[in-house]
Amino acid sequence: MPTLICDCNKTMPLEADALGTALDEQLVLHSTLCRHEAGAFQQAVTGTAPVVVACTQEKRLFAEIGEQTEGAVAPVRFVNIRETGGWSRDAASAMPKLAALLAAARLPEPDPVPTVTYRSAGRLLIVGPLDAAERAAAMLDDALEVTIFARGGRASGGEQERRYPVLGGRIESLRGWLGAFDLAWTQDNPIDLDLCTRCNACIAACPEEAIGLDYQIDLDRCRSHRACVQACAAAGAIDFDRATDRQEARFDLVLELGGQTLFTQHAPPQGYFAWDGTDPAPLLKVRELVGEFEKPKFFSYKQSLCAHSRNDTVGCRACIDICSARAVESDKGRQQIKVNPNLCVGCGACTTACPTGALTYAYPSMADHGATLRTLLATYAQAGGQAPVVLVHSQEAGRRLVERLGREAGLGRRHGIPANVIPLGVWHTASLGLEAWLGAIALGASQVAVLATDEEAPQYLEGLQAQMDIAQTILEGLGYQGPHLHLLRPASAGELDAALHALAARQPGVPAIAARFAMVREKRATLELALDHLIAHAPAAAGKAPEAIPLPAGVPGAGSPLGSLAIDTEACTLCMSCVGACPSSALLDNPDAPQLRFLEKNCVQCGLCVSTCPEDALRLEPRLLPTPERKQPRVLNETAPYHCVRCSKPFGTQKAIEAMLARLGGHPMFQGSGLERLKMCGDCRVVDLYTASNEVRITDL
């Protein structure tokens, strides 16, 4: 795979030999690859192998050059080595990092996944004061079919000419997404806008000036003179006694003027825009959304692994509580959650919060992220790098902040990205969680920092910090001196520069040997691989026998994904309700004996067993048990079997039968022989009923 590197007019101290050795490729150093030396690019793209170009600034130019090059068929991948390290003050010692970034760019693209399709015919609903809405409509009506919903203040002077359909009243609901917004409203104002001729007679007649140029009556100012009704007698548009009429309509796009009030979630649906009247960007985006659009279906869901509910009892709500798009909802009747792919924005926070792996991030998958991490860290180490810090940032706001810091470093105003800090761009920082961070530490990273910007919803930051606290507790409990995990929230490039410079100087404890495992799609499997390696090389294991590590409980709805169960053996009757409720096979029965067994490795701390237990005998214990016993079933409770008083066959436990006798003993149906039958197995009860001489039979009646 040809790799083209350029020192951008000799502003970066690149060492072609060192980079080539790390990549096992002979590299040629260019200085003006996008200008005088563009021929090297043209020659490379006429081959069939993918080409890696170490420049993202001129992607568009390189694409144009490729289109004009005869026989150019090779796919091209671009990677930024300039702002991410080449312009740093540490650039001379950053060759291991730059080699790692180039190596990661060689990895194959993620496997394709199903797509979600939106279809928009350009039917735009503008919500706001009539005069402002008409001005916005005038900028869009050449490309879109505009309807106005007048609300939000008295219009000071809309156009007299009726150029657009105008709706009015009280909005009851607005739901949907690009191509399928459903508006429901109640026409509760006395003026019917369909009948109104805009003659302005009512405005002139109203003594309280309660009617504005939006042709709606301010009922708080109206004093019921009804002069407006008389003025509108011919048109009949004003009727104070008209019954409220609920109406509905569908639109493809929604533009709300002023603040965001129609959708209050952090991530509103695609196709909805709020515009303050200054920045034209939302208007430009609205104009582009006509036609058919596709996006990846970012998630995959396995109901069999879901710990949300069993038998109408709700356990885990982590995905529902954390979703900033309100795309996840409960369907406890079917023992599942439902994710609306049209509302999903692909942040991945639900997959990070999910303790079982029922929800997984599909594009790219954890296997793809794992391959990138392993390539970055292995190449960095092979090139002689030490103490790598993985900086996880988003591909939008996070990338822009990293590049801004790189540019300022190139001008000598900042230190820049340190030589041992390796940026890792992801679609959204919330898509990686505890298993990825611990996996990175096991694979050789000394620290993992997550760069948060204003893109992240508040609940995302809360959830990420909670998972970091759990992961850090695990690392320190195993004897790795930290901290290793950091949630960075810089407000500027300067703050990011200071934070990264401080991290780069730290030397936390890490495993003596880096792991070589491959992360897999299954969340729990990846977590187990990371834990096994960290436990096997734990410093604490060499000094003393490992003990259970208590873990933080996390945040409500998204607790620790690891832990044990405490049981009140006196209260437990071994009814096994908890076994039937457990979604992860952590609780097991024994077909040969009355035993409740527990496999700690499988426990996800969802709490379904605690909620289901009729005796309130169970309690969650967040912890990590770093011993082989974690992977072996152990007995939580056992008791002697209860034997049928008639045939002596065991059919229950002594505690369960004794509890049943105590509760039903006072009931009239269970007196004398009725009480005795409760002590029999199912077969003997039937026999006893048919053979008892004192029982009344239907044939006797």
Side-chain angles (χ1 to χ4, degrees), residues 494-519:
E495 291 185 11
L496 176 61
D497 193 38
L500 294 181
H501 192 61
L503 291 183
R506 294 178 178 171
Q507 296 285 336
V510 295
I513 301 174
R516 298 298 299 162
F517 62 78
M519 295 186 188

Side-chain angles (χ1 to χ4, degrees), residues 329-401:
E329 61 182 22
S330 171
D331 186 8
K332 69 176 185 178
R334 297 185 178 181
Q335 301 186 161
Q336 64 179 7
I337 52 97
K338 293 192 297 186
V339 184
N340 188 325
N342 295 287
L343 294 178
C344 173
V345 296
C347 65
C350 58
T351 67
T352 296
C354 178
T356 65
L359 271 173
T360 55
Y361 203 67
Y363 189 80
S365 68
M366 180 54 66
D368 297 316
H369 283 309
T372 301
L373 280 168
R374 187 169 65 165
T375 300
L376 287 171
L377 296 169
T379 305
Y380 179 85
Q382 182 180 351
Q386 296 182 347
V389 180
V390 176
L391 175 64
V392 181
H393 64 82
S394 71
Q395 293 175 347
E396 297 294 334
R399 174 187 56 80
R400 290 194 294 269
L401 186 57

Side-chain angles (χ1 to χ4, degrees), residues 166-200:
V166 179
L167 309 176
R170 183 178 68 255
I171 293 179
E172 300 290 344
S173 65
L174 177 64
R175 299 184 178 89
W177 49 83
L178 175 62
F181 284 104
D182 292 319
L183 172 71
W185 76 99
T186 301
Q187 189 174 331
D188 59 353
N189 204 275
I191 298 181
D192 187 330
L193 295 177
D194 288 332
L195 299 177
C196 176
T197 64
R198 296 193 179 188
C199 67
N200 298 331

Side-chain angles (χ1 to χ4, degrees), residues 313-594:
T313 298
V314 174
C316 176
R317 288 181 46 91
C319 58
I320 298 173
D321 294 337
I322 204 169
C323 180
S324 69
R326 298 179 185 169
V328 188
E329 61 182 22
S330 171
D331 186 8
K332 69 176 185 178
R334 297 185 178 181
Q335 301 186 161
Q336 64 179 7
I337 52 97
K338 293 192 297 186
V339 184
N340 188 325
N342 295 287
L343 294 178
C344 173
V345 296
C347 65
C350 58
T351 67
T352 296
C354 178
T356 65
L359 271 173
T360 55
Y361 203 67
Y363 189 80
S365 68
M366 180 54 66
D368 297 316
H369 283 309
T372 301
L373 280 168
R374 187 169 65 165
T375 300
L376 287 171
L377 296 169
T379 305
Y380 179 85
Q382 182 180 351
Q386 296 182 347
V389 180
V390 176
L391 175 64
V392 181
H393 64 82
S394 71
Q395 293 175 347
E396 297 294 334
R399 174 187 56 80
R400 290 194 294 269
L401 186 57
V402 168
E403 292 181 351
R404 189 178 308 127
L405 173 57
R407 286 195 298 273
E408 293 186 10
L411 296 172
R413 299 171 183 169
R414 304 290 181 193
H415 185 282
I417 310 297
N420 65 332
V421 175
I422 306 174
L424 173 63
V426 296
W427 176 247
H428 200 289
T429 54
S431 62
L432 296 182
L434 175 139
E435 74 280 4
W437 306 330
L438 292 179
I441 299 297
L443 290 170
S446 65
Q447 299 174 83
V448 175
V450 177
L451 174 58
T453 64
D454 56 3
E455 286 181 324
E456 284 79 15
Q459 63 264 38
Y460 291 1
L461 301 179
E462 185 180 12
L464 288 173
Q465 188 60 63
Q467 289 216 357
M468 281 191 175
D469 292 342
I470 293 169
Q472 189 61 57
T473 302
I474 290 173
L475 290 168
E476 293 182 357
L478 293 173
Y480 299 105
Q481 295 302 311
H484 304 80
L485 307 173
H486 314 273
L487 183 59
L488 307 181
R489 309 183 193 185
S492 65
E495 291 185 11
L496 176 61
D497 193 38
L500 294 181
H501 192 61
L503 291 183
R506 294 178 178 171
Q507 296 285 336
V510 295
I513 301 174
R516 298 298 299 162
F517 62 78
M519 295 186 188
V520 294
R521 292 176 181 269
E522 291 75 19
K523 178 172 187 168
R524 300 293 292 195
T526 295
L527 180 58
E528 285 300 317
L529 288 170
L531 289 175
D532 287 347
H533 184 83
L534 293 170
I535 291 172
H537 297 87
K544 60 178 181 179
E547 299 176 353
I549 302 170
L551 299 179
V555 296
S560 168
L562 302 168
S564 181
L565 276 177
I567 186 169
D568 183 347
T569 56
E570 294 299 321
C572 175
T573 62
L574 289 175
C575 68
M576 300 300 174
S577 297
C578 55
V579 175
C582 181
S584 59
S585 299
L587 285 166
L588 310 166
D589 62 359
N590 186 339
D592 299 322

Side-chain angles (χ1 to χ4, degrees), residues 146-401:
V146 178
T147 299
I148 293 173
F149 194 101
R151 76 160 200 175
R154 291 168 59 80
S156 59
E159 295 290 335
Q160 188 67 38
E161 177 186 0
R162 190 195 300 271
R163 298 176 59 189
Y164 316 101
V166 179
L167 309 176
R170 183 178 68 255
I171 293 179
E172 300 290 344
S173 65
L174 177 64
R175 299 184 178 89
W177 49 83
L178 175 62
F181 284 104
D182 292 319
L183 172 71
W185 76 99
T186 301
Q187 189 174 331
D188 59 353
N189 204 275
I191 298 181
D192 187 330
L193 295 177
D194 288 332
L195 299 177
C196 176
T197 64
R198 296 193 179 188
C199 67
N200 298 331
C202 59
I203 298 176
C206 181
E208 290 91 12
E209 298 183 354
I211 305 176
L213 287 171
D214 57 353
Y215 304 104
Q216 296 286 275
I217 299 176
D218 184 346
L219 297 176
D220 292 332
R221 301 177 65 175
C222 177
R223 294 295 177 265
S224 301
H225 291 91
R226 300 298 188 262
C228 57
V229 177
Q230 298 176 11
C232 193
I238 304 178
D239 183 358
F240 282 85
D241 298 323
R242 182 188 300 112
T244 57
D245 183 20
R246 190 176 192 274
Q247 302 186 43
E248 297 179 352
R250 169 162 286 196
F251 300 92
D252 299 307
L253 301 156
V254 177
L255 176 65
E256 182 179 6
L257 305 182
Q260 178 180 322
T261 63
L262 296 174
F263 292 98
T264 57
Q265 63 263 43
H266 185 272
Q270 289 168 302
Y272 165 84
F273 300 89
W275 186 45
D276 60 5
T278 56
D279 183 6
L283 297 187
L284 297 176
K285 292 179 180 178
V286 169
R287 295 177 65 91
E288 298 172 352
L289 293 178
V290 179
E292 186 171 302
F293 307 91
E294 289 186 344
K295 70 175 183 181
K297 184 182 176 184
F298 289 101
F299 65 92
S300 61
Y301 176 61
K302 293 183 179 179
Q303 180 185 0
S304 60
L305 298 178
C306 184
H308 173 59
S309 66
R310 289 292 186 276
N311 303 321
D312 282 340
T313 298
V314 174
C316 176
R317 288 181 46 91
C319 58
I320 298 173
D321 294 337
I322 204 169
C323 180
S324 69
R326 298 179 185 169
V328 188
E329 61 182 22
S330 171
D331 186 8
K332 69 176 185 178
R334 297 185 178 181
Q335 301 186 161
Q336 64 179 7
I337 52 97
K338 293 192 297 186
V339 184
N340 188 325
N342 295 287
L343 294 178
C344 173
V345 296
C347 65
C350 58
T351 67
T352 296
C354 178
T356 65
L359 271 173
T360 55
Y361 203 67
Y363 189 80
S365 68
M366 180 54 66
D368 297 316
H369 283 309
T372 301
L373 280 168
R374 187 169 65 165
T375 300
L376 287 171
L377 296 169
T379 305
Y380 179 85
Q382 182 180 351
Q386 296 182 347
V389 180
V390 176
L391 175 64
V392 181
H393 64 82
S394 71
Q395 293 175 347
E396 297 294 334
R399 174 187 56 80
R400 290 194 294 269
L401 186 57

Side-chain angles (χ1 to χ4, degrees), residues 569-574 637 639-640 653-660:
T569 56
E570 294 299 321
C572 175
T573 62
L574 289 175
N637 194 19
T639 187
T653 67
Q654 286 188 356
K655 280 191 174 182
I657 301 302
E658 289 171 359
M660 180 174 63

